[in-house]
Amino acid sequence: QTSPDTLTKVLETKELVVCSPGDYKPFSFDNNGKFEGVDNDLMDKLAQSMGAKVTIVKTTWKTLMDDFTANKCDIAVGGISITLERQQKALFTEPYFINGKTPIVRCENVDKYQTVEQINRPEVRIIANPGGSNEKYARNELSNANLTMNAENLTIFQQVIDKKVDVFVSEAAEAIVKAHEHKGVLCAVNPDKPLKPAQNGWLIHNGDYRFKSYVDQFLHLEKMSGNLDKTINKWLPRD
Ligand SMILES: O=C(O)C(=O)C[C@]1(C(=O)O)C=C[C@@H](O)C=C1
């Protein structure tokens, strides 16, 4: 089996095909059919460096690895946590964001849900979106809590606001964005000290070290120039 050569393909076709679930602010979210966020800005710039344009292929957290390994796209983005399980199926770029599991709660409950011990109890109603690391974390680390699965990520926050559930443990970046969108109503519990740390990266096809090296260098230059921080700050409110 020959290794994939994504760089040559993109240079020739002038198209960078990007998989994204598109349900996760600040990284990639579907804004009336247009995918926006940190990762989409960076994909536009990455494509531009190869004289190419981005085509988005929408995926889901459940189907992400299957869609990627079935070659539906050249690179996958959208706030993907770097995990060893995923690394067994594909390569990751260098990390570009430090993240980690962070409870999102109604603000009056911040003191109540500071630790895993406080959340992992039968009387605590938690919620999760299917297919990604949030579901895994809820099932593995919060197995004593009362879990409701919510088919899609976007409507979870209203369930917390409406007191249908008490805690959504998600990633720090999303917790910060949602606390900002629902100021005084939803709060992120210690987003700077996650319950479980994670870093985000992008998926590169197995064996394609040439493209990995290219994208890693792109990220390295974005970091050195300060542009990565600028792009993150554009989408991630700090208040
Ligand atoms: O699976 C992952 O790696 C993610 O970080 C994605 C994930 C999740 O864990 O489900 C994280 C935050 C968003 O709520 C949506 C999806």
Side-chain angles (χ1 to χ4, degrees), residues 11-75:
L11 289 171
E12 279 172 3
T13 60
K14 302 192 187 311
E15 185 187 34
L16 176 68
V17 185
V18 177
C19 282
S20 170
D23 67 348
Y24 181 5
K25 279 186 189 180
F27 297 111
S28 184
F29 57 98
D30 188 341
N31 186 6
N32 290 317
K34 193 176 179 297
F35 279 48
E36 294 181 342
V38 172
D39 287 9
N40 294 91
D41 282 357
L42 292 170
M43 283 303 115
D44 285 342
K45 195 164 177 186
L46 175 67
Q48 204 178 31
S49 76
M50 295 177 280
K53 284 227 178 338
V54 168
T55 300
I56 297 281
V57 172
K58 192 175 164 61
T59 181
T60 67
W61 292 103
K62 248 186 207 160
T63 55
L64 172 69
M65 295 313 296
D66 286 345
D67 284 349
F68 191 66
T69 52
N71 243 322
K72 293 196 178 162
C73 47
D74 301 316
I75 189 167

